[in-house]
Amino acid sequence: MNFLPVLSWIPGNARPLVIAGPCSAETEAQVLQTAHALKLIPQVRVFRAGIWKPRTRPGSFEGVGSAGLLWMKKVKEETGLLTTVEVAKPHHVQEAIEHGIDILWIGARTVVNPFSMEELAESLSGIDVPVLVKNPVNPDLKLWIGAIERLHKNGIHRIAAVHRGFYQYENTRYRNAPHWEIPIELMRQMPGLPVLCDPSHIGGSRNLIQPIAQQAMDLEMDGLMIETHPDPDKAWTDASQQLTPGALSDILNGLVLREHKGSREFERNLEELRHEIDLIDYELIRLLAERMLKAEEMGRYKYAHNITILQLQRWKELFADRIKKGSKAGLDTRFLAALLQLVHEQSIEIQTNVMNKLE
Ligand code: PEP
Ligand code: MN
C-alpha cells in the first residue's frame, strides 16, 4: 500500500505538523477568536473543530452542526489556516466538501464500526481529500488497519493515522491508555503511513499534554492534534484537556525533536518491554489482592477456632522458606525481606479487622 507523506500535503511545513483548535465549535466568535490566536503560532498549520459531536448520551451538546461549516470557511478566508472537521456519516462528508473543508477526520467511535467505515469510505470514493483516521476506541490494531484499508481501497491516498489512546477498564492517570506499542506496530505494518498523536484525548487533562506530545516526537510521529480553546474551563466539551493558544505555543516551543537513525526501532523495543512490565505488575497486583482475600478467610477461621492471629512459629518458618526460595530465584535478600514484612503486616491488619468485626 502506498501513502503520501503527510508533509507533502502541506508544502513548506516542517515536522511536526500541528493541528489545533477547539474540541467543539461553540459560537462563531469562539471559533474565529481561537483561529486568529492560533494563526500567530507558526507551527500551527491546520485548524480543527468538532461540528458534529459523538456524545455518549443523548441530550448532551451534540455540536452546532452544519452552521459551523460557514464559520470554518471564514477561518480559512481570514487566517489562511487549513481546516478539518470530524465526519461520521456520508452527508457530513458531502457537506464538508461543499464548504471547502481541507482535511476530514474520522473519530474513534466511528472507526470501531466496519459498517460505518465502509459507508464513509464509499462516500469518499472519487473525492481527493486527505483523511485522518483516529484509532478505534478499543485497543484493536486490526480495526484501525481495516479502516485505513477501506479508505485506501476507495482511492484515498492521503491518509494519516491519529493515535488518541484506548479505552481502559482500570482508572489510570490517562483518560485513554496510550498503549504506545499499538501505533508502533501500525508503523511497522504500514511503512510510510503518516502517524500523528492526539495528546488531548490520551491525557484528558492539561498537565499531561506536554509529556505525551514529547513522547510522540521521540517515537518519530509526524504531527500533533491538540485541543485549544480561548477559555478552556468554560469549554462546552472536554474542558479539562483544552489548552489556551498561549499554553499550546509554550509546549510547541519546548518540544525537543531528536532525529537519530534507528530510534524508532529502539523505542519500539523499549515500549514492548514496558508493556510486558505493565502486564507483570497487573498480575502482581491481582495476586496480592488474592492473597489478602485469603488472609481475610484465615481471620474468620482463626476466630471461629479461637486462635490468636499471630502464630510466631509459622511466620518464622514462612519467612525463612520465602527467603530461601527468593534467593534461589536470584532476588536480593534485603529487598525480599522488606517486601515480606510489608505483606505480612497488611495480612495481620486484615485479620485483626475481620476479628474485630466479628467480635
Ligand atoms: C475529538 O477529537 O474531539 C474527538 C471526539 O475525538 P475522538 O474521536 O478521538 O474521541
Ligand atoms: Mn474532544
Side-chain angles (χ1 to χ4, degrees), residues 134-168:
K134 296 254 194 148
N135 64 251
V137 174
N138 47 321
D140 183 343
L141 176 60
K142 288 201 182 109
L143 264 180
W144 203 0
I145 291 180
I148 293 165
E149 285 170 340
R150 285 191 158 91
L151 291 167
H152 201 271
K153 208 175 63 178
N154 281 279
I156 302 290
H157 292 149
R158 287 183 292 170
I159 304 177
V162 182
H163 170 226
R164 51 77 79 199
F166 301 88
Y167 176 79
Q168 55 196 344

Side-chain angles (χ1 to χ4, degrees), residues 3 25 51 66 68 112 116 168 177 184 195 229 247 250 271 290 295 307 318 332 345 350:
F3 298 101
I51 303 287
S66 314
V112 283
S116 298
Q168 55 196 344
I184 289 167
V195 179
H229 192 284
D250 289 346
E271 272 314 317
E290 202 176 299
I307 287 177
L318 180 154
D332 179 82
E345 270 166 34
I350 285 175

Side-chain angles (χ1 to χ4, degrees), residues 101-118:
I101 298 291
D102 302 285
I103 300 171
L104 306 179
W105 98 71
I106 305 179
R109 291 164 191 77
T110 307
V111 177
V112 283
N113 185 341
F115 285 134
S116 298
M117 273 314 304
E118 189 63 36

Side-chain angles (χ1 to χ4, degrees), residues 22-24 48 53 175 200-201 227 237-238 241-242:
C23 177
S24 302
R48 63 149 280 158
K53 297 302 297 176
R175 176 177 174 194
S200 307
H201 290 90
E227 288 186 342
T237 54
D238 289 352
Q241 71 196 29
Q242 303 209 53

Side-chain angles (χ1 to χ4, degrees), residues 219-235:
L219 291 170
E220 293 186 18
M221 289 189 177
D222 301 277
L224 298 165
M225 181 192 263
I226 299 181
E227 288 186 342
T228 322
H229 192 284
D231 191 354
D233 288 332
K234 296 219 175 81

